[in-house]
Amino acid sequence: MVAGALSSPYGAFCESPDPYAAARQRMVLHQLNARDIKDTKVLRVMGKVKRHLFVSPSLASQAYSDHPLPIGEGQTISQPYIVALMTQVLDIKPEEKVLEIGTGSGYQAAVLSHFTDQVWSIEIRKELAQNASRRLKAFGYEKIRVKHGDGYFGWPEYAPFDAIMVTAAANHVSPLLLGQLKMGGRLLIPLGSTTYYQTLTKITKTPKGNEVEHLLGVVFVPMVGEILDE
Ligand code: SAH
């Protein structure tokens, strides 16, 4: 019964054969669990979300490989390990509100939506935003709200957020995003040179100020926009 199956991300496409089910399980085992992804819910969700549906059909056979993939307009969907790690680090609880900057394919937003119903995501490239929005709806992820805009400014109408995940590299943290974070909230961002590499950085807002943790070296496509391009 296809209509019913499509209405939920958990049931999406469950009736059609999944040619990549085994590849996805191998990814979970060898790329995630074998490294430092130990959160069982993160492992379960990464084993469930069909990453091959978020890339062009010509790249579907590479969707579970240990590297990023092009998604058009010079942008990339992150390596599965990085998606899992960022999700694990943010440690989203069911009642929490999450904002993602850089919707891209919509894959990371789909992963986040298995942790909470309250996911917002902003994409600066119009076509990517439209495609991601359409794709997410088609796969049953109707609750994720995607907007075309500059994520540097956040999404004030729905702030404050418990967690903000920036999936594009920036040389500084937008003060506007920090302002839209709840007390105790976490912001994760690849911070550093946007032409070379960055440090995945976690900032926690506390009454005593921002706590900063440097996690690991990463390479992301640059965050662009009105402020960052100047
Ligand atoms: N999270 C995505 C991959 C992100 S790639 C996924 O799961 O597929 C980084 C994305 O950030 C690109 O799509 C790029 O267009 C977008 N981006 C860059 N600068 C931005 C900005 N200022 N606001 C919103 N999105 C931005």
Side-chain angles (χ1 to χ4, degrees):
M1 209 282 285
V2 175
L6 281 175
S7 68
S8 142
Y10 303 98
F13 296 93
C14 63
E15 311 250 332
S16 52
D18 178 358
Y20 297 107
R24 193 162 54 249
Q25 295 319 314
R26 280 197 300 275
M27 169 198 86
V28 169
L29 205 60
H30 300 305
Q31 298 171 36
L32 310 184
N33 199 23
R35 293 188 176 123
D36 53 353
I37 307 302
K38 300 299 174 194
D39 183 317
T40 50
K41 177 135 194 219
V42 173
L43 293 168
R44 210 163 53 239
V45 169
M46 293 297 292
K48 199 181 301 190
V49 181
K50 294 174 177 162
R51 183 175 160 93
H52 63 275
L53 299 177
F54 290 82
V55 297
S56 85
S58 63
L59 293 172
S61 65
Q62 294 180 56
Y64 300 100
S65 304
D66 198 14
H67 52 73
L69 284 174
I71 53 170
E73 302 201 40
Q75 306 307 303
T76 53
I77 178 174
S78 302
Q79 175 192 9
Y81 169 67
I82 295 294
V83 172
L85 180 72
M86 290 178 84
T87 308
Q88 176 171 271
V89 167
L90 277 184
D91 191 20
I92 310 292
K93 302 288 183 287
E95 70 286 356
E96 290 190 324
K97 291 171 69 174
V98 187
L99 174 66
E100 180 197 22
I101 308 302
T103 316
S105 67
Y107 175 68
Q108 174 74 74
V111 168
L112 288 170
S113 78
H114 285 261
F115 293 81
T116 173
D117 280 344
Q118 304 190 76
V119 178
W120 286 263
S121 185
I122 306 176
E123 170 57 52
I124 202 164
R125 290 180 167 87
K126 194 170 182 184
E127 205 166 314
L128 289 180
Q130 286 172 342
N131 289 343
S133 182
R134 232 186 338 254
R135 183 179 292 129
L136 288 166
K137 281 199 178 67
F139 299 163
Y141 292 101
E142 274 130 1
K143 290 189 176 153
I144 301 173
R145 279 142 288 191
V146 175
K147 112 169 154 175
H148 166 231
D150 187 342
Y152 191 90
F153 300 97
W155 202 329
E157 294 89 329
Y158 296 106
F161 299 97
D162 298 279
I164 299 179
M165 182 189 286
V166 184
T167 64
N171 61 13
H172 70 275
V173 184
S174 160
L176 296 166
L177 286 180
L178 281 175
Q180 291 176 27
L181 205 55
K182 276 187 198 169
M183 190 54 70
R186 302 85 71 201
L187 182 148
L188 195 55
I189 181 168
L191 202 55
S193 158
T194 53
T195 37
Y196 297 103
Y197 64 89
Q198 307 87 37
T199 304
L200 191 59
T201 305
K202 180 184 177 192
I203 299 171
T204 307
K205 196 176 204 174
T206 79
K208 293 188 193 146
N210 293 327
E211 266 171 24
V212 180
E213 289 167 67
H214 301 291
L215 303 175
L216 87 160
V218 286
V219 179
F220 276 73
V221 292
M223 190 167 169
V224 294
E226 201 178 309
I227 307 290
L228 292 152
D229 288 347
E230 275 166 10

